[in-house]
DNA sequence: CATATTGAGTCTTTTTCGAGAGCATGAAAC
DNA sequence: GTTTCATGCTCTCGAAAAAGACTCAATATG
């Protein structure tokens, strides 16, 4: 299961993609419409901004909007940014790899199965973008 | 990513499957060989016992062993028992479903993609057993 | 320039997860 | 039946996640 934070991030991005023709969207609006705790959402959007996915404007008429074309924001990218590894085990993660203590990965049955799972997930998450969940 | 608890559960089951011909295995032995904190492992094995997957014997010559044929213990079953939902979102979970507030699942793009991911995972996890990761 | 609007930053609280300590319980061996 | 071995149970502690309160900073508008 994804962390709450990541679930919220996806929902916020989906909402922003739906509203992208309307100009900047208020944090408060996303919070209300998608039922996300306001201050928690602030942090999430800020992270997405620092990662170059979103941008924001302060003051009247301000809010959040895409810095990057949503059709080029892959779900895998968002997931790794907010949640971390996509793989189920550290020893099968591509971006957050950690060696298994006391386990020879070449001959580990668990490793083999978890690689399969990871590849199945990546096949979807590295192809689908925020535009696809609009 | 799986919780530590679930990762440990899989590793312990893998080890037990490898040693299944040797009779009961000590918690301490699994803990040492698979580098799992002893008391944490105790809880995990107990849960697996209460679920009918493992059984245990106290006293000398005691330890843990399979109550069920490891070839019939599906990875999905273990994962759901220790970790909870396999799906990435509550609203696409089969066993731990929770309705999405303010989101019509029929027309939610996120829901659609996450269902795909879930099905890809289940295709593997409901087919593979503990015997397969031996 | 004054003010209303809205995002940004800091601090605190609550809950869950990971981990460990200590005692209780049950089984085998002598 | 007492000792020894190994699991079972309860409590506690610290770290991280989830959530909220309050203050600071930037910008549009008149």
């Amino acid at each position: 299961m994804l962390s709450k934070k990541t679930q919220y991030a996806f929902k916020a991005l989906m909402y922003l993609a739906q509203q992208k023709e309307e100009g900047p969207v208020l944090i408060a609006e996303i919070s209300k419409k998608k039922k996300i705790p306001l201050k928690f959402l602030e942090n999430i959007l800020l992270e997405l901004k620092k990662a170059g996915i979103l941008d924001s404007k302060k003051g009247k008429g301000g809010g959040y909007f895409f810095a990057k074309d949503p059709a080029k924001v892959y779900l895998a990218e968002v997931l790794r940014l907010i949640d971390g590894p996509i793989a189920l085990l550290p020893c099968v993660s591509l971006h957050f790899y950690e060696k298994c203590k006391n386990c020879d990965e070449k001959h580990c049955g668990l490793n083999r199965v978890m690689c399969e799972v990871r590849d199945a997930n990546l096949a979807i998450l590295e192809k689908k973008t925020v535009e696809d969940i609009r």
Side-chain angles (χ1 to χ4, degrees), chain A residues 9-23:
Chain A
F10 279 128
K11 291 192 178 181
L13 286 171
M14 179 171 63
Y15 187 76
L16 278 167
Q18 286 161 0
Q19 308 294 318
K20 74 174 172 184
E21 315 298 343
E22 319 296 328

Side-chain angles (χ1 to χ4, degrees), chain A residues 13-128:
Chain A
L13 286 171
M14 179 171 63
Y15 187 76
L16 278 167
Q18 286 161 0
Q19 308 294 318
K20 74 174 172 184
E21 315 298 343
E22 319 296 328
V25 181
L26 299 186
I27 300 180
E29 180 184 336
I30 306 173
S31 165
K32 196 179 162 195
K33 288 287 177 58
K34 305 309 283 181
K35 301 267 192 271
I36 303 173
L38 186 74
K39 299 302 289 187
F40 201 4
L41 178 59
E42 259 182 37
N43 287 324
I44 295 165
L45 295 175
L46 200 54
E47 270 188 64
L48 292 169
K49 175 179 173 179
K50 284 176 181 164
I53 294 171
L54 298 179
D55 202 356
S56 67
K57 238 176 66 182
K58 290 187 178 181
K60 188 160 193 175
Y64 268 91
F65 50 91
F66 280 95
K68 203 169 157 181
D69 180 358
K72 286 181 181 155
V73 179
Y74 293 91
L75 300 189
E77 176 187 353
V78 176
L79 207 154
R80 288 194 179 107
L81 180 68
I82 309 289
D83 214 66
I86 289 175
L88 298 184
L89 299 177
C91 65
V92 299
S93 172
L94 297 176
H95 288 67
F96 300 85
Y97 175 78
E98 280 175 54
K99 193 180 175 329
C100 235
K101 350 174 195 174
N102 264 29
C103 155
D104 177 9
E105 289 168 23
K106 295 284 180 207
H107 307 95
C108 175
L110 185 56
N111 188 282
R112 203 177 335 110
V113 173
M114 291 309 181
C115 278
E116 268 189 64
V117 173
R118 178 203 61 198
D119 292 337
N121 283 336
L122 287 184
I124 300 170
L125 296 171
E126 297 207 308
K127 199 181 63 191
K128 299 286 187 182

